[in-house]
Amino acid sequence: MWSNFPKGTFSVPSWEATDFSEKMIEEAKVRTSNLPVTFTVQDATNLPYEDGRFDTVVIANALHNYA
């Protein structure tokens, strides 16, 4: 999974990741236990983040849900 990210991706100080499924979050935590990632269960249609909070946003395997 992480091999899909551009080279140098993990030079950033931290990542924040969300998913609607608590089960998927638990699986992701296991797979990334050695990386600076914070996970939260959230609804992607109602995220609580203020504008400008992130430098980059990545979405994967979700767009088919919004067609």
Side-chain angles (χ1 to χ4, degrees):
M1 173 170 121
W2 297 105
S3 62
N4 294 333
F5 284 85
K7 187 175 183 175
T9 297
F10 292 105
S11 63
V12 297
S14 66
W15 284 77
E16 186 153 345
T18 65
D19 197 287
F20 189 72
S21 166
E22 188 169 338
K23 184 177 178 181
M24 293 303 291
I25 290 291
E26 292 306 316
E27 177 66 26
K29 286 178 179 179
V30 169
R31 292 178 182 224
T32 60
S33 62
N34 62 332
L35 298 173
V37 183
T38 301
F39 293 95
T40 56
V41 177
Q42 297 191 53
D43 178 349
T45 64
N46 190 28
L47 296 171
Y49 307 113
E50 67 276 3
D51 289 347
R53 163 84 185 264
F54 302 104
D55 295 326
T56 303
V57 175
V58 178
I59 186 169
N61 303 320
L63 293 177
H64 62 276
N65 294 318
Y66 300 101

